[in-house]
Amino acid sequence: MWMRRALELAEGAVAGGEVPVGCVFVNGEGVEVACGANETNVAMDATRHAELVAVDGALVRAARRGSPPPAWCDTTLYVTCEPCIMCAAALAQLGLRRCVFGCRNDKFGGCGSILSLHEAAYPCTESVREAEAVDLFRRFYDRANVRTEKTDKAGDSRAQRRRRAGAAGARGGAS
């Protein structure tokens, strides 16, 4: 149920041109206390990862209400992709109870893929609805993105170029 919610947030991120990461923090009573999705492109700020967006939102809401922030030590994070090194370290500082993630982050993962910053702080469960999380990343990276050099001057995305290359290979390399 909670990973489904994180995937829905990630779907919203993809629709908005963001990297497809969504997350939900759930307390020990099974109540959602924070949620977020990546805002790195919209904010033009590389630190606006889903986990930090969610924590910031929860802290702002608590301050506005004059109430204490969530008890992070009683909270489980459900996130579509393994937290990066930055987020894994921040979650350790928060005192997170547990992390559940969809797919591994083979380039920047802080919960086992690259570093294991979680080991002394919180346990992780991985590969929950992994195929759906990976599919979101495929959809994101296969689309044309005019803001990157990955899209050529004609507007062709990597996916379009791969399809043409595959078709040329199927014809025996003829152009």
Side-chain angles (χ1 to χ4, degrees):
M1 170 177 142
W2 295 114
M3 186 58 81
R4 177 72 240 152
R5 171 91 168 105
L7 286 162
E8 289 167 358
L9 291 162
E11 293 258 1
V14 169
E18 285 292 341
V19 177
V21 179
C23 74
V24 181
F25 287 86
V26 179
N27 70 16
E29 298 169 6
V31 175
E32 179 180 317
V33 296
C35 68
N38 269 25
E39 295 178 354
T40 55
N41 291 335
V42 169
M44 296 185 75
D45 180 346
T47 68
R48 301 307 297 155
H49 292 195
E51 302 92 331
L52 301 182
V53 168
V55 168
D56 287 352
L59 295 176
V60 167
R61 281 189 301 282
R64 284 186 185 147
R65 289 191 305 251
S67 61
W72 303 110
C73 63
D74 185 39
T75 305
T76 297
L77 167 66
Y78 295 85
V79 61
T80 56
C81 184
E82 173 186 2
C84 72
I85 293 166
M86 173 184 70
C87 291
L91 295 168
Q93 291 297 313
L94 279 177
L96 185 71
R97 180 178 65 177
R98 189 177 122 200
C99 176
V100 177
F101 63 86
C103 62
R104 293 180 75 65
N105 182 343
D106 293 332
K107 290 189 178 190
F108 305 109
C111 295
S113 290
I114 302 300
L115 295 178
S116 297
L117 301 175
H118 70 292
E119 284 183 342
Y122 52 90
C124 287
T125 302
E126 64 180 83
S127 301
V128 176
R129 299 184 82 158
E130 178 182 27
E132 292 165 271
V134 168
D135 183 59
L136 285 171
F137 277 99
R138 282 195 184 114
R139 286 185 8 225
F140 174 76
Y141 286 110
D142 280 350
R143 71 177 182 27
N145 184 350
V146 296
R147 290 187 280 175
T148 70
E149 295 178 347
K150 305 294 187 231
T151 302
D152 67 17
K153 290 178 184 172
D156 289 346
S157 70
R158 289 181 283 182
Q160 290 167 325
R161 291 191 298 271
R162 273 190 299 226
R163 282 193 289 276
R164 279 199 302 276
R171 292 189 306 258
S175 315

